[in-house]
Amino acid sequence: MSQPIVTIGANASLSDALVIAKSKKLRHLPVDNAQRKLVGLVTQSDLVTAQYRIHEMQTKILEREVINRTQESVDLNRRLTELSREDPLLKIANFRAMEADIHHLHAISSRYQRPYSVALFGVEDFNSFKDCYGHSTGDEALQQVSSHFKETIRAADRLYRYGGDEFLVLLPETFSDGAQALAQRLIDGIVECGILHEQHPMKVMTLSAGVSSRDQWVTDGSWQDIVERADGALRQAKKQGPNRIAAAQSDRAFTSDTVLFQSVIPRQ
């Protein structure tokens, strides 16, 4: 008994023809119309062409997938890098970002003899604030302080969460007096925000600040010296009472064990 002739419809694609030819192990495939009349023949050459087109299409799909996955990986890595330099609560740069930025700025300052300043701020009696109002309210207060800072500093300045309740502002092209003036505006602004703090003598949240600067004629020392001097100035300001600014005296010789204070400026 003879086998029926395997055909393919005239409206079918070469891909369909290739599937049928492979499944039936055929080298040629007759093409018929709706009336079952022979209208053509799919040859071995046609089948090879179909196989090549399918392979080419699959290759393009894989290439697009690789490109898409690569771009997704690049975007993810970029986002992870951004997150690694950003404080998740305050959405400002973190200590890691500060280290990289101030290292770069200090190198420029050393090469071209340009000044810059660092202003380090600490929230007064923040632990008692959290004890009184709770950690969630404490987070909200820090967010309010951060927002005030971002609205007040210049576009060229950079704001960082130095750690806990401390903020650092990096001020390029700024001498000590300019940094102190900005620190005064920032401190006054927080008082004006009127963040209630019943455990504080002033009944509102206040800040203290320590300022340290690198004068343009200084050629030695490191950025760590500048930050350490600002930290020492901040500690001195806190000893003088709330709402104070202390400025570390500029000195050609940077020493880690000596900090001199030029002024302590109380809020008027």
Side-chain angles (χ1 to χ4, degrees):
M1 185 175 180
S2 62
Q3 297 291 329
I5 298 175
V6 178
T7 63
I8 189 170
N11 295 327
S13 66
L14 274 177
S15 297
D16 296 331
L18 181 63
V19 171
I20 294 174
K22 282 189 172 183
S23 65
K24 300 298 184 179
K25 298 182 179 179
L26 301 174
R27 296 176 60 86
H28 300 86
L29 192 59
V31 180
D32 58 11
N33 59 18
Q35 290 74 40
R36 305 291 295 176
K37 291 184 178 181
L38 185 66
V39 294
L41 181 68
V42 177
T43 66
Q44 179 69 18
S45 177
D46 295 327
L47 294 174
V48 170
T49 299
Q51 179 68 50
Y52 174 78
R53 288 178 179 175
I54 291 173
H55 176 73
E56 189 177 50
M57 181 178 64
Q58 291 174 337
T59 300
K60 289 181 178 179
I61 291 173
L62 287 174
E63 288 176 347
R64 283 199 301 268
E65 183 68 18
V66 169
I67 291 172
N68 291 338
R69 291 292 179 88
T70 300
Q71 186 59 49
E72 289 175 0
S73 178
V74 170
D75 293 341
L76 178 59
N77 287 334
R78 183 184 299 112
R79 181 57 181 155
L80 288 174
T81 299
E82 291 172 353
L83 289 174
S84 71
R85 292 170 55 90
E86 181 182 87
D87 181 81
L89 173 65
L90 305 181
K91 306 304 180 184
I92 59 175
N94 60 16
F95 188 88
R96 179 179 180 181
M98 182 275 293
E99 287 185 311
D101 292 346
I102 196 171
H103 174 80
H104 179 67
L105 181 60
H106 188 84
I108 294 174
S109 174
S110 299
R111 181 177 178 84
Y112 298 106
Q113 290 79 53
R114 304 305 304 170
Y116 74 88
S117 293
V118 166
L120 185 59
F121 299 83
V123 178
E124 295 285 351
D125 299 323
F126 188 63
N127 287 333
S128 64
F129 182 91
K130 290 188 296 182
D131 292 340
C132 181
Y133 301 104
H135 286 267
S136 178
T137 303
D139 289 345
E140 292 173 2
L142 290 178
Q143 289 171 335
Q144 193 169 347
V145 172
S146 176
S147 296
H148 167 63
F149 275 37
K150 287 187 286 186
E151 292 170 0
T152 305
I153 64 176
R154 304 170 303 180
D157 301 333
R158 291 297 309 275
L159 172 65
Y160 309 89
R161 188 177 189 182
Y162 190 73
D165 58 13
E166 293 184 336
F167 297 81
L168 185 143
V169 180
L170 183 59
L171 303 136
E173 299 294 324
T174 306
F175 292 102
S176 181
D177 55 351
Q180 291 178 58
L182 174 64
Q184 192 71 63
R185 291 199 302 273
L186 291 170
I187 286 178
D188 289 344
I190 292 301
V191 173
E192 292 168 3
C193 286
I195 303 172
L196 187 64
H197 189 350
E198 288 292 344
Q199 306 302 312
H200 191 283
M202 296 178 63
K203 302 304 180 184
V204 293
M205 179 173 286
T206 63
L207 304 178
S208 293
V211 173
S212 179
S213 303
R214 185 185 191 280
D215 293 327
Q216 76 271 31
W217 57 80
V218 176
T219 58
D220 54 356
S222 67
W223 66 264
Q224 289 92 339
D225 295 320
I226 304 294
V227 174
E228 286 176 7
R229 282 149 52 88
D231 186 71
L234 175 60
R235 292 196 300 271
Q236 179 71 7
K238 289 182 176 180
K239 291 178 182 178
Q240 300 297 323
N243 220 37
R244 302 290 185 103
I245 302 169
Q249 182 178 351
S250 297
D251 195 334
R252 290 175 182 268
F254 288 84
T255 58
S256 59
D257 57 347
T258 302
V259 178
L260 302 176
F261 298 92
Q262 187 178 51
S263 61
V264 177
I265 308 173
R267 179 177 178 271
Q268 301 299 323

